């Protein structure tokens, strides 16, 4: 349930408005919500309800009103009214009440270090107001006593917003709104000064000077005072046509290194992204490290957060990947290279980095894969010390343990998000099945610990295997997921039926797929009740060799396997094992080598098996 007090007092569950009862009942709830999680004495409630002459049974009436409110709130376990000593307290999350969201939004806006972020957050906070606070519930006297401080906070927030827009050069777009607000509050000198500046920049200098004269006369008539020094200096500068009043052209932002575009949707991380962006843009964290096990999605989450931060970062985002770096002494040169700094010498490099970063404002440095370079932590700390406008977002399997570091632990997906990710990636992989069994999908996700990388690799296999068969394979081993990793560049040893083959990378992929298909077909046939002969060790070897480009001859010819092309022939031992080709036949040629059964590569066995 959400309570709305910045306007007519209402309660809302989603899009449904909850009836809170008569005016006095709404006022009791509003007073309790104003001091959420704090005890409001019973006598104070009586004073708010009847400021002048409370009835004789006022205490009993408050008890009845609170009882009715408890009945209304009974459907929401997160919002309750408790009795504490001589009063009542509303127990709820302050974020469920718009008053506290407004105050928190204004505080975060003031903590922002760039005007664009500040204006955006103030816009969001001010949009919560739909009219005077407690508009249909309290009298003007009660509103003034209860909400007077909040009204001043609202006006100050509006002035802060106008200041930010004027600094960004938006005097034309804000002139109409500023005129109406200044007319409603003609004695607020800050508002009048902002209006005068907007009029002057818009080419209406005479109107700006007229506003100054009207304000001077009004202050003298109503308050008997002269305008403040700030307003007088502004009027004099307008009379002199001071160029310092002209809007400052925004400095062209350095786009930095483009954040890599993602080809797939990020699933199940909306809350994490929002919280990370909030910490980075409000200045709460200058060093934020995303930690978690491999495959949990740290890099993907950091990339998305950096992409959303880019619009709030004046000098752009620089992406630094440390995956190929294995020496901590190379971290600073790698960062310098990403910043287009050519100096490589130690002292010159630090001097160049200090000069480049010293005047930057809100440059976000995304440093990826720091877990194997923890010894470079002091260098990252030095960067933060010499560049006050620098913010660092890092990913690592362990915290960097630096002063001022904020750690965000990236956890595996929940069951719902994991299933959603599996279904989406299965469709992208071309899975012929639509609407997989939820129980099977959940079991597959649990087999890979709901890690996004494991889920994506498993979903990619549904193009060849139905989910039930995939689950059966994963319950035995995770080797089936290995094909999604980086491709090998050299010969790959493959064991099948006791034989070892060394295949080239392209042949290896075809061979592994063929072996997996044979194993799956046999298990499915057994599950279907069919009877097949027991598998022979040579079947999988033959399938692997055929997939690798070999020809299969009949067994009684004496050469059951013959490589395609000009490769050497192979001879079968009387015991059925497969021997190497003779040394004189050029064993180094051909796409692969076949070793004897049970022999490791590089060793020869003598004598019969």
């Amino acid at each position: 349930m959400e309570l709305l007090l910045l306007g007519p007092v209402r309660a809302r569950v989603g899009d449904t408005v909850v009836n809170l009862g008569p005016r006095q009942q709404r006022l009791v709830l509003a007073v309790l919500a104003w001091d959420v999680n704090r005890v409001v004495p019973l006598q104070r409630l009586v004073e708010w309800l009847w400021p002048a002459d409370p009835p004789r049974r006022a205490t009993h009436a408050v008890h009845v009103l609170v009882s009715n409110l408890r009945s209304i709130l009974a459907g929401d376990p997160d919002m309750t009214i408790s009795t504490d000593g001589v009063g009542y307290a509303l127990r709820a999350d302050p974020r469920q009440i718009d008053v506290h969201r407004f105050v928190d939004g204004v505080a975060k806006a003031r903590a922002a270090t760039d005007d664009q972020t500040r204006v955006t957050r103030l816009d969001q906070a001010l949009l919560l107001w739909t009219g005077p606070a407690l508009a249909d519930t309290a009298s003007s006297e009660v509103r003034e006593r209860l909400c007077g401080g909040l009204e001043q906070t609202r006006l100050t927030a509006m002035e802060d917003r106008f200041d930010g827009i004027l600094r960004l050069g938006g005097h034309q777009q804000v002139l109409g709104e500023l005129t109406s607000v200044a007319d409603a509050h003609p004695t607020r000198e800050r508002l009048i000064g902002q209006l005068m500046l907007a009029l002057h920049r818009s080419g209406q200098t005479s109107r700006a000077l007229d506003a100054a004269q009207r304000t001077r006369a009004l202050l003298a008539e109503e308050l008997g005072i002269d305008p403040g020094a700030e307003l007088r200096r502004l009027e004099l500068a307008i009379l002199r046509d001071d160029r310092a009043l002209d809007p400052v052209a925004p400095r062209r932002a350095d786009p930095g290194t483009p954040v890599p575009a993602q080809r797939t949707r990020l699933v199940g991380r909306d809350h994490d992204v929002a919280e990370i962006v909030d910490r980075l843009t409000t200045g709460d964290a200058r060093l934020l490290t995303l930690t978690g096990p491999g495959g949990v999605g740290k890099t993907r989450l950091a990339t998305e957060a950096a992409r959303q931060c880019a619009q709030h970062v004046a000098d752009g985002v620089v992406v630094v990947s440390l995956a190929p770096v294995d020496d901590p002494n190379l971290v600073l040169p790698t960062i310098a290279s990403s910043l287009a700094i050519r100096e490589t010498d130690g002292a010159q490099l630090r001097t160049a980095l200090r000069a480049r970063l010293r005047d930057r404002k809100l440059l976000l440095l995304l440093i990826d894969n720091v877990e194997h370079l923890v010894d470079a932590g002091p260098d990252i700390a030095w960067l933060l010390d010499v560049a006050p406008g620098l913010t660092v977002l890092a990913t690592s399997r362990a915290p960097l343990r630096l002063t001022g570091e904020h750690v965000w632990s990236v956890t595996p997906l929940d069951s719902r998000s994991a299933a959603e990710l599996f279904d989406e990636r299965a469709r992208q992989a071309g899975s012929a099945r639509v609407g997989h069994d939820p129980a099977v999908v959940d079991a597959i996700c649990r087999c890979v610990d709901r890690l996004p990388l494991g889920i994506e690799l498993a979903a990619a296999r549904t193009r060849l295997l139905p989910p039930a068969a995939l689950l059966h394979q994963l319950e035995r081993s995770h080797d089936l997921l290995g094909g999604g990793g980086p491709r090998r560049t050299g010969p790959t040893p493959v064991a099948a039926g006791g034989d070892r083959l060394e295949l080239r990378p392209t042949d290896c992929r075809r061979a592994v797929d063929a072996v997996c298909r044979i194993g799956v077909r046999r298990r499915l046939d057994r599950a279907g009740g069919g009877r097949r002969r027991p598998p022979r060790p040579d079947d999988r070897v033959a399938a692997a060799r055929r997939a690798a480009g070999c020809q299969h001859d009949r067994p009684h010819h004496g050469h059951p396997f013959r490589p395609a092309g000009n490769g050497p022939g192979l001879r079968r031992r009387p015991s059925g094992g497969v021997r190497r080709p003779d040394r004189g036949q050029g064993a180094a040629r051909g796409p692969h080598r076949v070793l004897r059964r049970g022999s490791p590569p590089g060793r020869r066995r003598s004598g019969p098996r």
Side-chain angles (χ1 to χ4, degrees):
M1 183 178 292
E2 180 184 12
L3 293 182
L4 307 177
L5 309 181
L6 301 178
V9 177
R10 293 172 296 163
R12 189 171 59 192
V13 178
D15 295 330
T16 304
V17 177
V18 178
N19 183 13
L20 295 177
R23 183 190 66 84
Q24 289 184 332
Q25 191 164 291
R26 297 197 303 273
L27 181 56
V28 170
L29 181 60
V31 172
L32 294 176
W34 211 271
D35 293 321
V36 64
N37 296 322
R38 289 185 293 181
V39 178
V40 179
L42 181 61
Q43 187 59 36
R44 186 181 171 193
L45 290 174
V46 172
E47 293 175 357
W48 286 123
L49 290 172
W50 299 280
D53 187 17
R56 187 176 58 181
R57 295 177 58 84
T59 301
H60 175 72
V62 172
H63 290 322
V64 173
L65 294 175
V66 170
S67 177
N68 294 338
L69 288 172
R70 282 173 170 164
S71 300
I72 294 173
L73 302 177
D76 186 0
D78 297 328
M79 184 176 292
T80 59
I81 298 177
S82 64
T83 303
D84 294 286
V86 294
Y88 297 101
L90 179 67
R91 305 297 179 184
D93 186 347
R95 290 175 296 181
Q96 293 178 268
I97 305 167
D98 59 354
V99 171
H100 302 285
R101 290 205 307 274
F102 168 74
V103 174
D104 183 62
V106 170
K108 289 183 176 180
R110 289 173 179 168
T113 53
D114 68 301
D115 289 322
Q116 186 60 59
T117 302
R118 185 180 297 110
V119 169
T120 301
R121 294 190 177 278
L122 288 172
D123 279 337
Q124 295 172 351
L126 291 169
L127 282 175
L128 295 173
W129 288 75
T130 59
L134 313 183
D136 63 342
T137 302
S139 63
S140 58
E141 179 186 355
V142 171
R143 281 204 307 270
E144 179 64 26
R145 291 170 54 196
L146 184 62
C147 314
L150 194 67
E151 289 286 352
Q152 292 299 317
T153 302
R154 179 190 184 189
L155 285 173
T156 304
M158 295 173 70
E159 292 170 344
D160 291 342
R161 174 177 171 270
F162 291 143
D163 266 346
I165 295 176
L166 290 174
R167 280 193 296 268
L168 292 171
H171 47 274
Q172 292 280 4
Q173 69 186 56
V174 81
L175 183 56
E177 182 184 0
L178 189 51
T179 301
S180 61
V181 176
D183 289 344
H185 304 277
T187 59
R188 290 187 71 93
E189 295 187 28
R190 187 182 177 191
L191 274 175
I192 300 301
Q194 291 169 342
L195 175 60
M196 292 169 57
L197 182 59
L199 288 169
H200 174 66
R201 287 181 176 178
S202 302
Q204 305 180 51
T205 302
S206 60
R207 289 188 57 191
L209 295 174
D210 288 342
Q213 294 294 334
R214 288 196 307 269
T215 304
R216 178 179 287 105
L218 183 64
L219 291 174
E221 179 182 349
E222 294 192 0
L223 304 176
I225 60 175
D226 291 328
E230 185 68 27
L231 196 61
R232 294 199 305 269
R233 281 195 297 267
L234 177 60
E235 182 182 10
L236 183 60
I238 292 176
L239 284 169
R240 293 176 175 176
D241 194 17
D242 193 341
R243 310 312 299 176
L245 298 180
D246 293 342
V248 179
R251 184 166 59 90
R252 185 176 181 180
D254 182 1
T257 305
V259 179
Q262 303 299 319
R263 292 176 250 174
T264 56
R265 184 175 67 93
L266 182 62
V267 177
R269 299 295 192 190
D270 293 342
H271 171 72
D272 299 81
V273 171
E275 289 293 331
I276 292 171
V277 171
D278 181 72
R279 289 195 185 189
L280 293 174
T281 56
T282 57
D284 290 345
R286 291 190 59 214
L287 171 59
L288 180 60
T289 305
L290 308 187
T291 63
V296 79
K298 300 184 294 296
T299 299
R300 184 70 171 86
L301 178 59
T303 302
E304 179 63 23
R307 187 188 65 81
Q308 294 193 19
C309 284
Q311 59 184 335
H312 304 294
V313 178
D315 285 316
V317 177
V318 174
V319 181
V320 183
S321 178
L322 298 181
V325 180
D326 55 4
D327 184 357
N329 296 322
L330 297 178
V331 170
L332 277 186
T334 303
I335 294 174
S337 176
S338 300
L339 292 168
I341 297 176
R342 297 182 180 180
E343 287 80 358
T344 58
D345 180 69
Q348 294 181 1
L349 177 64
R350 289 180 177 265
T351 301
L353 279 170
R354 182 186 294 108
R356 178 66 62 88
L357 298 176
R358 182 175 50 205
D359 298 329
R360 293 292 184 96
K361 300 297 182 183
L362 285 179
L363 173 68
L364 176 63
L365 196 64
L366 171 57
I367 305 180
D368 194 21
N369 298 300
V370 195
E371 57 266 5
H372 60 295
L373 299 167
V374 179
D375 292 339
D379 289 336
I380 298 176
W382 175 83
L383 283 175
L384 292 169
D385 291 339
V386 301
L390 178 65
T391 301
V392 173
L393 174 62
T395 68
S396 174
R397 296 189 183 183
L400 303 182
R401 303 189 184 279
L402 298 177
T403 302
E405 179 186 23
H406 290 234
V407 178
W408 183 274
S409 179
V410 183
T411 58
L413 297 174
D414 56 63
S415 57
R416 180 177 179 181
S417 299
E420 181 183 357
L421 177 62
F422 182 89
D423 290 336
E424 183 172 308
R425 297 297 186 262
R427 289 195 302 271
Q428 293 172 355
S431 175
R433 295 175 177 267
V434 179
H436 300 120
D437 184 357
V440 175
V441 171
D442 183 66
I444 291 174
C445 295
R446 281 188 281 106
C447 279
V448 296
D449 297 329
R450 296 197 179 99
L451 296 176
L453 178 59
I455 294 171
E456 292 186 349
L457 291 174
R461 298 298 184 269
T462 58
R463 185 171 60 88
L464 298 176
L465 298 176
L470 176 62
L471 175 60
H472 181 69
Q473 290 274 3
L474 292 177
E475 287 175 342
R476 299 176 57 188
S477 171
H478 286 179
D479 292 343
L480 184 63
L481 305 182
R487 296 183 177 182
R488 296 177 59 97
T489 57
T492 301
V494 177
D499 294 320
R500 292 176 57 89
L501 297 84
E502 285 195 359
L503 305 178
R504 290 174 180 155
T506 54
D507 302 330
C508 178
R509 287 190 291 275
R510 293 197 298 265
V512 172
D513 289 342
V515 170
C516 291
R517 286 195 291 271
I518 286 180
V520 171
R521 282 201 302 269
R522 285 177 177 166
R523 278 190 291 275
L524 292 178
D525 288 338
R526 287 198 297 271
R531 301 186 61 183
R532 297 178 62 91
R533 62 176 173 80
R536 292 200 301 258
D538 295 338
D539 289 343
R540 294 192 178 188
V541 179
R545 292 177 56 80
R546 284 197 301 273
C550 302
Q551 298 174 352
H552 180 62
D553 294 339
R554 291 189 304 169
H556 62 272
H557 286 170
H559 297 283
F561 300 108
R562 185 181 302 280
N566 298 323
L570 301 174
R571 293 186 291 109
R572 178 178 291 276
R573 293 175 58 88
S575 60
V578 180
R579 295 186 58 183
R580 296 185 190 174
D582 294 335
R583 292 182 181 271
Q585 297 181 4
R589 297 194 304 271
H592 52 269
R593 300 197 310 270
V594 180
L595 309 183
R596 280 186 296 175
R597 186 187 307 266
S599 299
R603 292 186 54 190
R604 296 195 56 171
R605 296 180 57 181
S606 60
R609 289 179 56 85

